[in-house]
Amino acid sequence: MTSPATEILKSVSTLSLIAGARVSSGATFTVHDRYSGAAIAQVDQTSQAHIQQAVAAARRNLNKVPDGYERSRILRKAVDIIQSRKQQFIDIMALEAGFTAAETSNEIARGLDTLEISAEEAKRICGEMIPMDGNPGQKDRIAFTLRTPVGIVCAITPFNAPFNALLHKIAPAIAAGNAVILKPSGYTPLTASLICDVLIEAGWPGELLSLIQGEGAEAGEWLLDEQDINFYTFTGSTRVGRIIQQKAGRRRTQLELGSIACTVICADADIELALPRILRATFRKAGQVCTSIQRLYVARSRIEEVTKRLEQATRALKSGDPRAAGIDVGPMIAEKEAIRAESWVNEAVSMGARVVVGGKRDKSVLQPTILADVREGMKVVDQEIFAPVITLLPFEKIAEVIDSINATPYGLAAGVFTNDVNTAFHMARQLRVGGLHVNETSSSRNDGMPYGGVKDSGYGFEGPKYAIRDMTDEKIVTFSLHDPA
């Protein structure tokens, strides 16, 4: 008798996709159920020869890129197909990513928005007119810019958003008219496989799409060796981002890297507004989001109230099997990561921190955890924990908070809850981050907005309009005119 999971998995190809054709290298790697740890699939480990074939085919077939109107139609068709198969995506992400039903539904809703926005942008890629007569002797010249595809875009995507983060890279690449080579996380290859099937069914030329599968760094290194790839877009660790940038050389990159995400509750904050947002931003996807709140700075006059209310709300959360009804927090991506995060919590306690709630682990599930009495020198404060753990840091003056956030090596996003417009604008000007969200958390995001960081959090933007700008080349065209004979 087969289990429901077995039936779901039968519908997903575990082979690599090379220029639209499914192929096998003969070697595989294992994908696991994030909650039980059981093996659920053997996925093809793409060979270097197949990667070389994918790049060569993409370069050879760039003349088959559809026009902007057709690219828009294909992306919209993909939306329709995914909507018709929504449950299949939900079931697969619950297995390989450990998402709860609420998390998968939100992931899919946002990904469909990303596709829709990309479809709209595909029809309005254009340059601009240049005011040549602003210079002396140039009144008879006309100039404008054109935006043209860079060529081949390689997207290397993370496990923590296997649907929407992936679409934030490949949907703009397609909208811009590029061939796409996709390398998803080895933890979550099945969602990527489904998306590739959808895109080809929607009408994207198979010759312009390849799916490279693999765990570990080998496949990524082979992709970086391919000099015909024009653009790399990557979400992951700062360590790997540095390697990509070094090996990419003069080729362009967009890197979304590490973070210690911070949110601030000022003395005048609306706590009723702030706390539900903070709870969700901290513990969704088991805290494995680069903008999940790790440091919560609280005005000292509000620290007792915030601690008490956040503790009560956190104790009400249920953690466990993401497929079970009523579960709020599922497993981390691997038991070893839960063990690591638990060890950081224990280290902090040994150094004087206090566990307000949580701190316990059951295999890959770490309880939602709040830590108080923390300080610099503790890993839970100084390094990205990427787990359902939040630290509480009281403050007296906003200048302390700004200095503390700016002192981290990262600068992705921050949030502040305040009703003082001067405080909000002062922080917007002084914080070295890619985005500040006022009366929202560091994890606030609209899928159409520019999204990226500074310092060790990377550079370049996601957000379809902004990614397309990076995934196209701008060319100046001038005409020198004269009176007709």
Side-chain angles (χ1 to χ4, degrees), residues 58-101:
R59 179 62 58 192
R60 200 167 52 243
N61 290 285
L62 286 175
N63 61 343
K64 295 183 180 179
V65 172
D67 63 25
Y69 177 85
E70 182 64 10
R71 299 197 300 269
S72 178
R73 187 203 64 78
I74 289 167
L75 292 170
R76 284 202 164 92
K77 179 65 174 176
V79 171
D80 295 337
I81 296 170
I82 291 169
Q83 286 176 328
S84 71
R85 300 176 188 171
K86 181 178 177 181
Q87 191 59 49
Q88 182 184 26
F89 280 94
I90 288 174
D91 293 338
I92 288 297
M93 279 189 276
L95 285 167
E96 69 173 357
F99 289 175
T100 66

Side-chain angles (χ1 to χ4, degrees), residues 154-161 164-166 168-169 183-185 232-238 240-241 244 254-258 288-291 384 386 412 445 451-452 457-462:
C154 177
I156 304 174
T157 61
F159 70 80
N160 62 338
N164 191 35
L166 186 153
H168 260 291
K169 297 183 183 301
K183 167 61 179 74
S185 166
Y232 294 90
T233 173
F234 168 76
T235 295
S237 71
T238 297
V240 175
I244 290 172
Q254 183 273 320
L255 305 175
E256 200 266 280
L257 308 176
Q288 298 170 116
V289 180
C290 45
T291 54
E384 182 177 24
F386 222 61
L412 184 54
R445 185 172 179 184
Y451 175 78
S457 290
Y459 55 82
F461 284 122
E462 287 186 352

Side-chain angles (χ1 to χ4, degrees), residues 238-264:
T238 297
R239 180 188 65 82
V240 175
R242 288 194 179 112
I243 294 170
I244 290 172
Q245 186 55 49
Q246 288 168 0
K247 296 198 74 172
R250 289 180 294 175
R251 293 174 290 171
R252 298 217 297 273
T253 59
Q254 183 273 320
L255 305 175
E256 200 266 280
L257 308 176
S259 172
I260 297 175
C262 307
T263 293
V264 183

Side-chain angles (χ1 to χ4, degrees), residues 374-387:
V374 297
R375 57 178 171 79
E376 291 181 5
M378 298 176 177
K379 287 190 180 75
V380 294
V381 174
D382 292 348
Q383 299 180 36
E384 182 177 24
I385 192 165
F386 222 61

Side-chain angles (χ1 to χ4, degrees), residues 274-290:
L275 289 185
R277 287 167 167 77
I278 289 167
L279 195 73
R280 181 175 182 277
T282 300
F283 300 125
R284 70 185 181 98
K285 297 184 178 179
Q288 298 170 116
V289 180
C290 45

Side-chain angles (χ1 to χ4, degrees), residues 439-460:
N439 289 325
E440 292 287 351
T441 70
S442 55
S443 201
S444 175
R445 185 172 179 184
N446 175 301
D447 289 294
M449 76 183 194
Y451 175 78
V454 298
K455 300 192 289 183
D456 280 354
S457 290
Y459 55 82

Side-chain angles (χ1 to χ4, degrees), residues 265-271 298-307:
I265 298 179
C266 295
D268 66 337
D270 182 341
I271 299 298
V298 185
R300 195 171 295 279
S301 62
R302 308 297 294 273
I303 188 69
E304 185 176 343
E305 174 191 8
V306 168
T307 303

